[in-house]
Amino acid sequence: MDNFTFFNNTRIHFGEGQISKITSEIPKGKKVLVLYGGGSIKNNGVYDQVKNALADYNWGEFSGIEPNPKYDTLLKAVALIKAEDFDYLLAVGGGSVIDGTKFIAAACKFEGPECWDILEAQAAVNSALPLGCILTLPATGSESNGNAVVTRDHDKLAFNSPLVRPAFAILDPTTTLSLSPRQSANGVVDAFVHVMEQYLTYPVNAKVQDRFAEALLLNLLEEGPKVLKTPNDLAVRVNIMWSATQALNGLIGAGVPQDWTSHSIGHELTGNYGIDHARSLSIILPAVMNICRVEKEEKLLQYGERVFAITEGSIEQRINQAIAETIHFFTIMNAPTSLNHAGLERSSIEVILNSLKKHGMVALGEHANIDLSRSRKILEAAL
C-alpha cells in the first residue's frame, strides 16, 4: 500500500428530515444562491423544504443546470452571482447539479482569461465560493469530493480541487423516492463502476480498502435490482444512497492504484453521442476487463471469488465468468453493455479515438499503458 493522507471535511447529515440542517450550516448573513436542475425539486417537496429553511436568509435561485452540465449555462450563473453579490452556493440535485455548482464556485473567483482553462488547461483553482449541497440522486459521490465534470460542445472534461469540496451535504433518502427507474438504475451502475475503477487494478496489500470496496459492490448488487422491483422501499434507497457516497469519498482509493479508463472513454461517449454517463460506463467496463485481463488477473480472480463466489475452473474460465456476471448485473439494471445496444456502430470508434487524442487521453489505466491502439481494442470489444 502506498503512503497516503486522507482527509474528508464534508459534514454529512444523513436521514429523513435533515434538510432543515442547512440553517445550522450556512452562516447567517450570507447571501445564498440555490442552484438546481429542471425543476423536479418543486414536485417532490424538496424545494419547499429548502425555502422554509432559508426563510431568514437573503437568497435567490438559478435553475436549468442540465445532466452533464453545460459550460455556457454555468457561465450564466457566474454572471448572476457577480451581478448580485451572492456569496454562498447551495446545490440541490444530483451529481450534475453539484458538479456544475463546483465549477461555478471556482469560476467566480478565477482570475485567468477564460474559465474554461480550469478544465482544458487544468489551471490552478486558488479560491472558490463556499458551497453546500442537498443530494437528490445518489450516483456520483460528488457530494463529498472535490471532483467535477463539465461539458462544452463535444468536450466533457474534469477538474479537481479541495476548495470546491462541499462544506456539508444533506442526504435524505426520501428525496430519491420520486426518481425514475432509469435514474435509479443509472445511480447504482455509476456507483458500482466508481468502486471498480479503484478496486480492479493489482494487489498492494490494501486489505481494508479491498474489503470495503467488496462490501460496497455486494451491497449494490443486492440492492440495485430491488430498487427497480420495489421503488418505494425506503430501506433500499437508504443503503443505495450511502453506498454511492462511500464509493467516491476518497476512502477506498486511499493508498491504492486506480484505473479510470472506463470513465475516460465513457466521457467521450457522452460528449459525442449524449449517452448517459452511467450507461457509457456499463458499455466500457466489461470491455476493459476483457482486454486488460492479464494485468488485472489477480484482482479479477479476487473479485470473482469474493463478490460472485467463483472458485472453480481455470483462470481463464473464472475471469470469463466474473466478466459475464458483471454484464448480467448491468443487464438486470437495464443498462446497455455494448455500443450496439446504445445504437452506435463501428464508425463511432474513430470518433471516440479522435476525441481521446484531442484531450490527451493516450496513456490510460493504472499502468498508463492503454494507448490509442489499446483503446481501439477496448472499443472493438465493446461493439
Side-chain angles (χ1 to χ4, degrees), residues 201 288-300 319 367 374:
T201 55
V288 171
M289 297 167 74
N290 188 26
I291 297 301
C292 302
R293 62 171 58 211
V294 174
E295 57 261 53
K296 294 181 183 291
E297 180 179 294
E298 290 184 74
K299 290 302 282 286
L300 276 166
I319 289 175
H367 299 290
R374 291 199 81 195

Side-chain angles (χ1 to χ4, degrees), residues 11-22 41 44-50 53 91-94 98 133-139 143 168-179 231 233-243 245:
R11 186 180 296 104
I12 293 176
H13 300 288
F14 190 100
E16 189 172 354
Q18 295 282 56
I19 291 177
S20 62
K21 290 286 180 67
I22 62 178
I41 64 169
N44 61 14
V46 173
Y47 180 85
D48 288 338
Q49 292 183 66
V50 173
V92 185
I98 299 171
C133 63
I134 299 171
L135 181 67
T136 63
L137 199 169
E143 64 275 8
F168 70 91
I170 307 293
L171 277 62
D172 181 346
T174 65
T175 66
T176 70
L177 291 170
S178 61
L179 294 175
D233 189 337
L234 186 58
V236 172
R237 299 282 185 178
V238 165
N239 282 295
I240 289 175
M241 185 170 237
W242 192 229
S243 296
T245 295

Side-chain angles (χ1 to χ4, degrees), residues 14-37:
F14 190 100
E16 189 172 354
Q18 295 282 56
I19 291 177
S20 62
K21 290 286 180 67
I22 62 178
T23 59
S24 64
E25 290 289 351
I26 302 177
K28 295 298 188 292
K30 289 292 185 181
K31 187 174 183 181
V32 182
L33 183 64
V34 177
L35 303 104
Y36 56 96

Side-chain angles (χ1 to χ4, degrees), residues 1 70 143 191 204 310 315:
M1 191 192 316
K70 295 182 179 179
E143 64 275 8
V204 292
I310 300 169
I315 289 176

Side-chain angles (χ1 to χ4, degrees), residues 72 113 143 207 218 229 239 267 292 345 376-377 379:
D72 290 343
E143 64 275 8
K207 293 184 177 181
L218 286 165
K229 292 179 180 178
N239 282 295
H267 284 172
C292 302
E345 299 179 352
R376 179 185 295 278
K377 291 180 180 179
L379 287 162

Side-chain angles (χ1 to χ4, degrees), residues 252-274:
I252 66 170
V256 302
Q258 300 182 27
D259 186 350
W260 302 106
T261 298
S262 296
H263 273 71
S264 296
I265 298 175
H267 284 172
E268 305 302 351
L269 284 172
T270 300
N272 284 282
Y273 297 105

Side-chain angles (χ1 to χ4, degrees), residues 11-330:
R11 186 180 296 104
I12 293 176
H13 300 288
F14 190 100
E16 189 172 354
Q18 295 282 56
I19 291 177
S20 62
K21 290 286 180 67
I22 62 178
T23 59
S24 64
E25 290 289 351
I26 302 177
K28 295 298 188 292
K30 289 292 185 181
K31 187 174 183 181
V32 182
L33 183 64
V34 177
L35 303 104
Y36 56 96
S40 62
I41 64 169
K42 292 187 175 180
N43 299 323
N44 61 14
V46 173
Y47 180 85
D48 288 338
Q49 292 183 66
V50 173
K51 183 178 179 180
N52 291 337
L54 293 177
D56 295 330
Y57 288 82
N58 183 5
W59 67 283
E61 59 187 85
F62 180 87
S63 64
I65 297 179
E66 310 89 350
N68 303 304
K70 295 182 179 179
Y71 179 69
D72 290 343
T73 299
L74 304 181
L75 286 188
K76 294 176 182 177
V78 172
L80 175 64
I81 290 164
K82 291 182 176 181
E84 301 192 16
D85 294 322
F86 289 99
D87 55 4
Y88 203 102
L89 308 182
L90 178 62
V92 185
S96 291
V97 171
I98 299 171
D99 278 15
T101 301
K102 289 176 179 178
F103 176 77
I104 291 164
C108 283
K109 297 287 188 177
F110 187 63
E111 297 180 352
E114 186 183 10
C115 295
W116 186 244
D117 288 343
I118 295 171
L119 296 141
E120 186 174 55
Q122 294 293 292
V125 175
N126 298 315
S127 181
L129 287 177
L131 70 142
C133 63
I134 299 171
L135 181 67
T136 63
L137 199 169
T140 67
S142 189
E143 64 275 8
S144 63
N145 64 45
N147 308 325
V149 183
V150 175
T151 299
R152 186 183 193 184
D153 298 323
H154 294 306
D155 298 323
K156 183 175 180 180
L157 302 179
F159 82 101
N160 174 282
S161 170
L163 297 178
V164 298
R165 185 192 299 272
F168 70 91
I170 307 293
L171 277 62
D172 181 346
T174 65
T175 66
T176 70
L177 291 170
S178 61
L179 294 175
S180 70
R182 181 163 176 151
Q183 289 173 315
S184 297
N186 280 355
V188 171
V189 170
D190 197 0
F192 189 93
V193 181
H194 284 162
V195 177
M196 292 291 279
E197 296 275 40
Q198 300 165 88
Y199 170 79
L200 197 68
T201 55
Y202 55 88
V204 292
N205 193 34
K207 293 184 177 181
V208 171
Q209 294 91 320
D210 276 2
R211 293 293 190 184
F212 196 1
E214 289 153 4
L216 292 172
L217 293 172
L218 286 165
N219 199 41
L220 292 165
L221 284 164
E222 181 177 335
E223 302 299 299
K226 291 180 185 177
V227 80
L228 298 182
K229 292 179 180 178
T230 56
N232 295 322
D233 189 337
L234 186 58
V236 172
R237 299 282 185 178
V238 165
N239 282 295
I240 289 175
M241 185 170 237
W242 192 229
S243 296
T245 295
Q246 297 298 317
L248 201 56
N249 67 356
L251 183 56
I252 66 170
V256 302
Q258 300 182 27
D259 186 350
W260 302 106
T261 298
S262 296
H263 273 71
S264 296
I265 298 175
H267 284 172
E268 305 302 351
L269 284 172
T270 300
N272 284 282
Y273 297 105
I275 297 172
D276 297 0
H277 173 60
R279 295 164 75 85
S280 77
L281 301 178
S282 64
I283 291 169
I284 298 300
L285 176 64
V288 171
M289 297 167 74
N290 188 26
I291 297 301
C292 302
R293 62 171 58 211
V294 174
E295 57 261 53
K296 294 181 183 291
E297 180 179 294
E298 290 184 74
K299 290 302 282 286
L300 276 166
L301 294 173
Q302 179 179 310
Y303 167 67
E305 179 176 351
R306 295 185 182 179
V307 177
F308 294 110
I310 300 169
T311 58
E312 298 182 356
S314 67
I315 289 176
E316 182 178 7
Q317 288 171 332
R318 283 181 283 159
I319 289 175
N320 286 342
Q321 189 176 347
I323 296 171
E325 292 286 358
T326 306
I327 291 172
H328 178 63
F329 172 61
F330 291 156

